[in-house]
Amino acid sequence: MEKNFESKLSESAKSMKASEIRELLKLTAQPEIISFAGGLPAAELFPIDNIKKTAEELIEKDGRRALQYSTTEGFNELRNVIIKQRLEPMGIKAGLENILITSGSQQALDYSSRIFVNPGDTIITESPSYLGALNAFKLADPNFVEIEMDDQGMKMDKLEEALKTEKNVKFIYTIPDFQNPSGVTMNLERRKKLIELANKYDVLVLEDCPYKELIFDGEPLPALKSMDTEGRVIHLGTFSKTFCPGLRIGWIVADPFITNKYTMLKQGSDLQSSSLDQLLTAKFMEDNILEEHIKKIVEVYKKRRDVMFAAIDKYFPKGIKYTKSEGGLFTWVEVKPELQSKEILEKALEKKVAFVPGDSFFPNGGKTNFFRMNYSCMSEEKIEEGIKLLGEVLDEYYK
Amino acid sequence: MEKNFESKLSESAKSMKASEIRELLKLTAQPEIISFAGGLPAAELFPIDNIKKTAEELIEKDGRRALQYSTTEGFNELRNVIIKQRLEPMGIKAGLENILITSGSQQALDYSSRIFVNPGDTIITESPSYLGALNAFKLADPNFVEIEMDDQGMKMDKLEEALKTEKNVKFIYTIPDFQNPSGVTMNLERRKKLIELANKYDVLVLEDCPYKELIFDGEPLPALKSMDTEGRVIHLGTFSKTFCPGLRIGWIVADPFITNKYTMLKQGSDLQSSSLDQLLTAKFMEDNILEEHIKKIVEVYKKRRDVMFAAIDKYFPKGIKYTKSEGGLFTWVEVKPELQSKEILEKALEKKVAFVPGDSFFPNGGKTNFFRMNYSCMSEEKIEEGIKLLGEVLDEYYK
């Protein structure tokens, strides 16, 4: 007998929707497609031999710990090496009491809304913003307030306007470096202003920082957390973009009171992240495998980006704008306001090319003439070929 | 400057508490303590050599998949081998559309309350029940209704009474086999009755099934999910007790509509469980490493249980009752009603012996004269010694 269980659902579950991107990625995963849709690191660059050797040694010498339950907070050796190798170079001061290991930063995003947001509370985001974060936040049924960006990041006058007028703002969510999806980096002056505004209006800042180390041009800007004078920045890190996302390891860095709340939530929600993934990741850092890998992928991704941007300049119709991203994985394309990027995608798929329509990156919807393109997972040849094909599709709209 | 962020918290986060057991386990983890407090499998029995070999082969042959993002649902090969090796032998019919891989069954417990429970909705539990489940459920702020048990499981007349009178019952949470903490198994007749009542009163059943395969005496009873005629049983499995909990792999088996809701929640909450843990676990099953391991641990745990029960009979004062568990990891001890198991623990710790006081296993509190003892992680010698010491402590209360 078929039963309908709809009526059993919680209010939150009734409104759950499958992520459009995840569904789209399934479609575009066919090998004959040239896909600029994903946000994946390049698997062909994974240092398989080193990973194999590290795994062997770890299981042989420390197998019982790597396979047994461990603490919710995460292994000390992992948290210590994150402090030393990832946080100190960013100017972030932290001790063990500030850090919790999470299962990727996606989990930290979900936890952030569970810990701070009652239904109807406000989350301020960049416009556009990372779809995965929006999907996580939506589970808490917030009010989204979007702040317009330009090529220097969130506009600070618009942010202040929102902070003045909006009630119950729980946090400002930002990806300051090589933002997903826009590719934009927030400049230094705005970083300072953002911290000043957060202090003035007494709100928290959620700094999502997955791409910072994938820098191609110029010098890195300071992390918001390094400029935080009141403990109100929650910094999220992950290895999913710099190393291997199949190992689900991320971290939060926050005021100890806040970190402790995240830890209690993690106790109830999944006890701990994979012991094996944690100890492997710690060893990859201790043995400098991660550092070497980042150097290698930055070199390769930079070339791929250069090829993509040169191809766009060559093959796309005049009048199309895109972000000259200086790092990270994405560029963001703006076409004429009357165009529908979903329709363009349909035409592109006929030519076996894919990207992600921009619509769902706007938490309150309504903007249809943008799309996101990734340059990290395709070879230079495929990128050139795909952009050329996409140019042919776009030409039809710009005749 | 120190800030107080208490006022920023969501209602749910304000009431979060650290798990007493997790905190206690930290205390009792000192090597000189004979601890019956944990719920861990015996790490000295992990098949380290086989695991090492499997990991080497997997990373060499299939490293890119094992280290890259994968689907939220979990790898098909893992779900298929779970169907074949774990579910079919239990009489549970399932296809891929019924199964989602979770990060241990703790995650499935958290998801269950997120998907079904609005604040104030009722969850029916056995009394006592698994503390980790209660902690997960509490995040959704439910009303707990406890059903008394005897040595055959939940009393069905009490269950029917509750189903008749309670409003908004979302699900009945049960661990039918070798329950944590009581060690009790629900008999066949009551299993049938439970399904009948769930159908009659239109409620869901959450069957938590981590211990079923750790059976020492008699024949296994059918899983509730195998007796489910209306798709209303949600079955939770895990390798945390039968294999290695450091690999965070569990699964839910449910009606496709329900499984789909869990999957959407997982997309937002952590994208996917560890790719490496998933593919390793699939290979452990395909290569029969898991089956061999279960045979070995059942043999060892059975002996340890026998030693513990014989020692209890020998050293504990007369009048103390305990469950003659036929499988699983625990027994449950009942002392005189006027005694406080927390106080007994303090005395026991002076003699370097630990157990878990029973209080927090009762969702609504109030029962102080029970404690839980684990027999899987200590050697037979240590068990004999620890029970003897504990007998000396208890003698003081029974003079």
Side-chain angles (χ1 to χ4, degrees):
Chain A
M1 184 162 64
E2 279 286 314
K3 278 276 162 184
N4 181 339
F5 295 112
E6 182 76 29
S7 66
K8 299 290 176 205
L9 300 175
S10 65
E11 289 309 313
S12 160
K14 277 179 189 160
S15 56
M16 273 175 204
K17 283 187 200 131
S19 153
E20 270 189 53
I21 283 207
R22 300 281 295 185
E23 298 306 312
L24 181 70
L25 290 182
K26 283 186 201 167
L27 279 181
T28 61
Q30 305 153 51
E32 74 273 20
I33 298 253
I34 298 179
S35 179
F36 305 131
L40 290 72
E44 77 274 17
L45 303 177
F46 291 161
I48 297 289
D49 284 347
N50 278 332
I51 290 173
K52 193 181 91 173
K53 204 167 133 267
T54 306
E56 267 176 55
E57 282 173 16
L58 174 70
I59 296 172
E60 184 164 315
K61 289 188 192 153
D62 212 7
R64 290 186 190 175
R65 274 205 319 149
L67 298 160
Q68 184 60 288
Y69 282 120
S70 58
T71 62
T72 301
E73 291 83 351
F75 285 103
N76 286 357
E77 61 216 87
L78 175 60
R79 293 187 294 155
N80 279 323
V81 71
I82 287 172
I83 291 172
K84 192 150 176 258
Q85 291 196 11
R86 310 260 80 72
L87 302 178
E88 284 179 5
M90 292 187 192
I92 297 173
K93 286 190 189 109
L96 289 175
E97 70 281 10
N98 300 104
I99 304 188
L100 169 72
I101 299 300
T102 58
S103 298
S105 47
Q106 187 67 30
Q107 182 171 62
L109 293 167
D110 179 40
Y111 285 1
S112 298
S113 50
R114 292 181 83 178
I115 284 172
F116 298 111
V117 180
N118 294 314
D121 283 351
T122 293
I123 297 174
I124 293 182
T125 73
E126 286 150 345
S127 179
S129 184
Y130 169 49
L131 182 55
L134 302 179
N135 282 336
F137 299 158
K138 276 177 188 164
L139 297 168
D141 194 21
N143 169 43
F144 286 111
V145 172
E146 301 176 46
I147 307 297
E148 207 181 300
M149 301 172 81
D150 60 21
D151 63 358
Q152 300 299 309
M154 226 188 265
K155 293 184 177 173
M156 288 299 133
D157 54 334
K158 303 282 180 191
L159 176 62
E160 181 153 25
E161 226 174 274
L163 288 169
K164 260 187 201 159
T165 53
E166 295 294 332
K167 299 251 183 289
N168 297 323
V169 177
K170 287 306 180 70
F171 55 78
I172 302 164
Y173 172 67
T174 176
I175 306 168
D177 306 283
F178 322 124
Q179 198 234 22
N180 180 357
S182 71
V184 165
T185 294
M186 191 186 291
N187 70 22
L188 181 60
E189 188 195 350
R190 292 197 191 171
R191 287 175 197 236
K192 288 178 185 164
K193 185 73 184 173
L194 191 147
I195 295 293
E196 188 192 313
L197 291 174
N199 289 345
K200 180 173 171 187
Y201 291 94
D202 186 23
V203 296
L204 299 169
V205 177
L206 193 57
E207 175 181 39
D208 193 1
C209 199
Y211 311 110
K212 195 178 193 68
E213 295 172 285
L214 302 179
I215 181 168
F216 311 147
D217 312 315
E219 290 300 312
L221 290 171
L224 292 171
K225 184 68 191 161
S226 74
M227 306 161 74
D228 177 20
T229 51
E230 301 191 348
R232 59 175 73 252
V233 177
I234 301 162
H235 175 91
L236 309 185
T238 174
F239 297 110
S240 295
K241 308 305 176 187
T242 50
F243 201 60
C244 299
L247 308 176
R248 305 297 298 138
I249 301 293
W251 58 94
I252 70 149
V253 185
D255 175 89
F257 171 85
I258 292 175
T259 303
N260 191 37
K261 283 287 169 186
Y262 279 77
T263 306
M264 284 188 264
L265 177 53
K266 191 167 172 71
Q267 275 189 354
S269 95
D270 71 356
L271 296 179
Q272 59 160 106
S273 295
S274 165
S275 302
L276 180 61
D277 289 4
Q278 285 189 60
L279 289 181
L280 275 176
T281 306
K283 270 188 82 66
F284 295 142
M285 279 191 278
E286 286 159 6
D287 298 352
N288 268 330
I289 295 171
L290 181 70
E291 289 307 312
E292 293 301 315
H293 185 64
I294 292 177
K295 272 186 214 154
K296 182 169 78 179
I297 63 176
V298 162
E299 200 177 307
V300 174
Y301 294 175
K302 182 182 197 299
K303 278 192 208 152
R304 292 179 178 179
R305 177 207 60 172
D306 290 343
V307 168
M308 178 176 275
F309 290 0
I312 290 176
D313 292 341
K314 185 168 168 190
Y315 297 114
F316 275 19
K318 299 298 155 218
I320 288 182
K321 290 180 225 161
Y322 69 98
T323 307
K324 308 283 189 304
S325 323
E326 298 180 324
L329 305 179
F330 306 108
T331 187
W332 181 242
V333 180
E334 180 177 357
V335 294
K336 288 187 290 191
E338 65 270 28
L339 297 185
Q340 306 288 326
S341 61
K342 282 186 182 171
E343 190 194 304
I344 301 170
L345 175 62
E346 279 172 36
K347 307 273 186 212
L349 282 172
E350 287 169 16
K351 292 189 186 272
K352 308 282 181 205
V353 186
F355 55 75
V356 182
D359 311 34
S360 31
F361 295 93
F362 297 95
N364 301 308
K367 298 202 179 171
T368 63
N369 60 319
F370 295 88
F371 57 88
R372 189 192 75 178
M373 292 203 299
N374 163 279
Y375 43 72
S376 63
C377 340
M378 289 279 137
S379 67
E380 296 175 27
E381 295 68 31
K382 290 276 183 192
I383 290 174
E384 170 97 15
E385 187 189 340
I387 294 293
K388 188 176 171 201
L389 290 165
L390 203 48
E392 291 168 18
V393 173
L394 289 164
D395 278 340
E396 294 296 310
Y397 295 95
Y398 278 82
K399 271 190 211 162
Chain B
M1 186 161 66
E2 279 286 313
K3 278 275 162 186
N4 181 339
F5 296 111
E6 181 77 29
S7 67
K8 300 290 176 205
L9 300 175
S10 66
E11 289 308 313
S12 162
K14 278 179 188 159
S15 57
M16 273 175 204
K17 284 189 198 129
S19 154
E20 270 190 52
I21 283 208
R22 302 280 296 184
E23 298 307 312
L24 180 69
L25 290 182
K26 284 186 201 165
L27 281 181
T28 61
Q30 304 152 51
E32 74 274 19
I33 297 254
I34 299 179
S35 178
F36 305 130
L40 291 72
E44 77 274 15
L45 303 177
F46 291 161
I48 297 289
D49 284 348
N50 279 331
I51 290 172
K52 193 182 91 173
K53 204 167 134 269
T54 306
E56 268 176 53
E57 281 173 19
L58 173 70
I59 295 170
E60 184 165 316
K61 290 188 192 150
D62 212 7
R64 290 186 190 176
R65 275 206 318 149
L67 298 162
Q68 184 59 288
Y69 282 120
S70 59
T71 63
T72 301
E73 291 81 352
F75 285 103
N76 286 358
E77 61 217 85
L78 175 60
R79 292 187 294 155
N80 279 323
V81 71
I82 287 172
I83 291 172
K84 191 151 175 257
Q85 291 195 11
R86 309 259 81 73
L87 301 178
E88 284 180 4
M90 292 186 192
I92 298 173
K93 286 187 190 113
L96 289 176
E97 70 281 10
N98 301 103
I99 304 189
L100 168 72
I101 300 300
T102 58
S103 299
S105 46
Q106 186 68 28
Q107 183 172 61
L109 293 167
D110 179 38
Y111 285 0
S112 299
S113 50
R114 291 181 84 178
I115 284 172
F116 298 111
V117 180
N118 293 314
D121 283 351
T122 293
I123 297 174
I124 293 183
T125 73
E126 287 151 345
S127 179
S129 184
Y130 169 50
L131 182 55
L134 302 179
N135 282 337
F137 299 157
K138 276 175 188 164
L139 297 168
D141 195 18
N143 169 42
F144 286 111
V145 172
E146 302 176 45
I147 307 297
E148 206 181 301
M149 302 173 81
D150 60 22
D151 63 357
Q152 300 299 310
M154 227 189 266
K155 292 184 177 174
M156 288 299 133
D157 53 334
K158 303 281 181 191
L159 175 61
E160 181 153 25
E161 227 172 275
L163 289 168
K164 260 186 201 159
T165 52
E166 296 293 333
K167 298 252 182 288
N168 297 323
V169 176
K170 286 306 179 71
F171 55 77
I172 302 164
Y173 172 67
T174 176
I175 306 168
D177 306 282
F178 322 123
Q179 197 233 22
N180 179 359
S182 71
V184 165
T185 295
M186 191 187 291
N187 71 23
L188 181 60
E189 187 195 351
R190 293 198 191 171
R191 287 174 196 238
K192 289 178 184 163
K193 186 72 185 175
L194 190 148
I195 295 293
E196 188 192 312
L197 291 174
N199 289 344
K200 179 171 172 189
Y201 291 94
D202 187 21
V203 296
L204 299 169
V205 176
L206 193 56
E207 176 182 39
D208 192 0
C209 200
Y211 311 110
K212 194 179 193 67
E213 295 172 285
L214 301 180
I215 181 169
F216 311 146
D217 312 314
E219 290 300 313
L221 290 170
L224 292 170
K225 183 68 192 159
S226 73
M227 306 161 74
D228 177 19
T229 51
E230 301 191 347
R232 60 175 70 251
V233 177
I234 300 162
H235 175 92
L236 309 185
T238 174
F239 297 111
S240 296
K241 308 306 175 187
T242 51
F243 201 60
C244 299
L247 308 176
R248 305 298 299 139
I249 302 292
W251 58 93
I252 71 148
V253 185
D255 176 89
F257 172 85
I258 292 175
T259 303
N260 191 38
K261 282 287 169 185
Y262 279 77
T263 306
M264 284 189 266
L265 177 53
K266 191 166 172 71
Q267 274 189 355
S269 96
D270 71 356
L271 296 179
Q272 60 160 106
S273 294
S274 164
S275 301
L276 179 62
D277 288 2
Q278 285 188 61
L279 289 180
L280 274 177
T281 306
K283 270 189 81 67
F284 294 142
M285 279 191 278
E286 286 159 4
D287 298 351
N288 269 330
I289 294 171
L290 181 70
E291 289 307 312
E292 293 301 314
H293 184 64
I294 292 178
K295 272 186 214 155
K296 181 169 80 178
I297 64 175
V298 162
E299 200 178 307
V300 174
Y301 293 176
K302 183 182 197 296
K303 277 192 210 152
R304 291 178 180 180
R305 178 207 59 173
D306 291 343
V307 168
M308 179 177 273
F309 290 1
I312 291 176
D313 292 342
K314 185 167 168 191
Y315 297 114
F316 275 20
K318 299 299 155 217
I320 288 181
K321 290 181 224 162
Y322 69 97
T323 306
K324 307 285 188 302
S325 322
E326 298 180 325
L329 304 180
F330 306 107
T331 186
W332 181 242
V333 180
E334 180 179 357
V335 294
K336 289 185 289 190
E338 66 270 28
L339 297 186
Q340 306 289 325
S341 61
K342 284 186 182 171
E343 190 194 306
I344 300 171
L345 175 62
E346 280 172 36
K347 307 274 186 207
L349 284 172
E350 288 169 16
K351 291 189 187 273
K352 308 283 181 204
V353 186
F355 55 76
V356 183
D359 312 33
S360 32
F361 295 93
F362 297 95
N364 301 309
K367 297 203 179 169
T368 62
N369 61 319
F370 295 89
F371 58 88
R372 189 191 77 177
M373 291 204 298
N374 163 279
Y375 42 73
S376 64
C377 337
M378 289 281 137
S379 67
E380 296 175 27
E381 295 68 33
K382 290 275 184 194
I383 290 173
E384 170 96 16
E385 188 188 336
I387 294 292
K388 189 175 170 203
L389 290 166
L390 203 49
E392 292 169 16
V393 173
L394 290 163
D395 278 340
E396 294 296 310
Y397 296 94
Y398 278 83
K399 272 190 213 163

